[in-house]
Amino acid sequence: MIRTVIWKNNTVVLIDQNALPLAEVYITCHRYQEVISAIKDLTVRGAPAIGVAAAMAAALGATALPVLPQELFRQKFNKICDEIAQARPTARNLFWALERMRKCLADSIGSGQKKLVQELVAEAQSICAEDIANNRQMGKNGSALIADGDNILTHCNAGALATAGYGTALGVLRAAHEQGKKIHVYVDETRPVLQGARLTAWELKKEKIPATLITDNMAGFLMQQGKIDKIIVGADRITANGDIANKIGTYSLAVLARAHNIPFYVAAPLSTIDTALKTGTAIPIEERSGTEVTSFRKVQTAPAGMKVYNPAFDITPAKFLSAIITEKGILQKPYLQSIRCLMKGQFAR
Ligand code: MRU
């Protein structure tokens, strides 16, 4: 199984997603600041993978602290978490994972620093293991929506690489393939940084799942030609009403899907759901460097000095979704109710 983020001997080992698909390279982070840099520069990316990396960064930070009075340790650890929280703004999983780490600290603060650090490391490892288990369950749940012979379009990379392992949207397709369903996947290349062409295509090839790569601007034509039966994507944040933030270009696909009567599914774990936000308009959208648009892999493709707008995500309103697949089941409209029911106990934060 492809593993993205691994805790190993008090270090965090990451598959370098910027090196893929040309090289399968692993980098070892010894300090939490190195994990922050890896999240920022997309060495590790994808909402659940960012969450797991953030939790491990916090654990790494805790292991490096000197022996301190309890209150000072608490302050220093929370400061490390605050720093990690600045790495990227859109994916809910990053903040969710840090909340779990802070809660772990609060629950175990009285047990002495050595034990406390062990608890924090164990919590980060649990977040990682739970993510893989949740993805497998999500895959099982979602595969019921996939039929033998389906042609399915996906956008960005919501695979093993975007998680601790197995994947969300791609996990659903992986599960359908494992069940022997004959599926074929159309992969959007996903400009500007090509998570589809570089990462999803790499994963599908590795798994021998039949797939065809297209550029983003081809998707509408394929739908018009009747070549797409279903669309499935992941999400970076889902608000209380079911609006989703996902990789830029997702909204266009959802609108096209509606125009062509094609089911549009979202697969995401509960850790992506943010019940504190009522609608998608409240989701902070990351804007990334213009160089992602004006060049590719350091080769300049636009005139020097060209003005660029580079939002990394967009918002797809809930009305365009056919269902939301989670590890706890498939959510149907109205999402305000189905999400409220699912997140019972977590709803009023
Ligand atoms: O900028 P990225 O590569 O981190 O964006 C990732 C996505 O938009 C994914 O589709 C999303 O995180 C869901 S992944 C399970």
Side-chain angles (χ1 to χ4, degrees):
M1 187 177 75
I2 302 162
R3 294 289 307 272
T4 314
V5 193
I6 303 155
W7 181 269
K8 195 173 172 191
N9 305 329
N10 284 352
T11 65
V12 179
V13 179
L14 303 170
I15 187 166
D16 182 354
Q17 302 198 34
N18 287 322
L20 287 170
L22 304 182
E24 195 173 327
V25 180
Y26 292 81
I27 66 155
T28 303
C29 303
H30 296 88
R31 299 165 61 240
Y32 77 90
Q33 293 94 336
E34 293 172 87
V35 183
I36 294 178
S37 302
I39 294 173
K40 285 185 177 169
D41 74 9
L42 308 183
T43 298
V44 57
R45 36 68 48 205
I50 294 171
V52 174
M56 289 191 183
L60 208 50
T63 57
L65 286 173
V67 177
L68 293 167
Q70 188 174 298
E71 179 52 23
L72 204 53
F73 182 89
R74 192 185 63 78
Q75 282 174 20
K76 294 247 185 224
F77 180 76
N78 282 327
K79 205 166 153 285
I80 289 168
C81 290
D82 292 345
E83 241 182 279
I84 300 166
Q86 299 299 315
R88 291 188 77 187
T90 304
R92 164 69 188 144
N93 311 62
L94 174 85
F95 309 102
W96 169 88
L98 291 172
E99 280 164 23
R100 266 190 62 169
M101 294 302 284
R102 289 186 211 259
K103 180 166 185 315
C104 177
L105 175 98
D107 290 348
S108 303
I109 189 91
S111 39
Q113 189 167 327
K114 193 170 168 218
K115 178 89 188 359
L116 176 55
V117 171
Q118 283 169 357
E119 293 288 339
L120 289 167
V121 170
E123 183 69 353
Q125 287 175 304
S126 300
I127 288 173
C128 182
E130 285 167 29
D131 185 58
I132 298 170
N134 288 339
N135 292 337
R136 285 193 181 278
Q137 188 56 48
M138 201 186 309
K140 229 181 247 171
N141 297 345
S143 63
L145 299 168
I146 307 297
D148 196 42
D150 268 352
N151 282 287
I152 304 135
L153 176 71
T154 191
H155 190 65
C156 194
N157 172 266
L161 292 167
T163 63
Y166 203 75
T168 58
L170 223 52
V172 169
L173 302 184
R174 201 167 248 133
H177 176 75
E178 283 166 6
Q179 290 160 10
K181 290 179 186 165
K182 296 214 173 351
I183 57 165
H184 169 262
V185 186
Y186 281 104
V187 181
D188 264 357
E189 67 172 354
T190 317
R191 278 283 289 150
V193 284
L194 304 190
Q195 290 93 333
R198 294 187 300 108
L199 308 175
T200 301
W202 180 78
E203 284 195 38
L204 291 169
K205 271 208 112 198
K206 220 176 161 75
E207 298 273 319
K208 298 191 170 53
I209 300 176
T212 304
L213 180 64
I214 60 168
T215 65
D216 302 331
N217 48 359
M218 295 172 186
F221 184 51
L222 268 73
M223 291 186 215
Q224 196 180 45
Q225 290 180 312
K227 286 193 156 81
I228 313 274
D229 299 304
K230 275 151 205 168
I231 300 175
I232 185 161
V233 297
D236 289 83
R237 207 185 282 227
I238 300 176
T239 54
N241 70 336
D243 290 351
I244 68 144
N246 193 48
K247 182 51 57 193
I248 192 78
T250 302
Y251 171 57
S252 320
L253 289 179
V255 174
L256 279 164
R258 175 59 54 87
H260 293 92
N261 220 3
I262 296 169
F264 187 91
Y265 299 118
V266 172
L270 266 55
S271 52
T272 301
I273 301 176
D274 187 353
T275 52
L277 301 187
K278 287 198 174 96
T279 70
T281 50
I283 300 175
I285 298 293
E286 178 182 12
E287 256 188 68
R288 293 188 61 85
S289 162
T291 57
E292 288 183 351
V293 179
T294 55
S295 61
F296 183 70
R297 297 222 151 151
K298 300 204 168 88
V299 176
Q300 193 181 325
T301 54
M306 187 65 202
K307 194 174 152 203
V308 173
Y309 177 46
N310 184 19
F313 302 95
D314 60 24
I315 305 295
T316 301
K319 67 177 180 186
F320 290 109
L321 312 186
S322 306
I324 302 175
I325 302 157
T326 77
E327 69 273 31
K328 297 284 182 207
I330 298 175
L331 305 184
Q332 307 283 354
K333 284 180 186 127
Y335 299 112
L336 191 62
Q337 272 75 30
S338 50
I339 289 176
R340 189 190 292 263
C341 192
L342 182 75
M343 305 293 280
K344 240 187 272 151
Q346 293 180 51
F347 201 74
R349 276 214 318 267

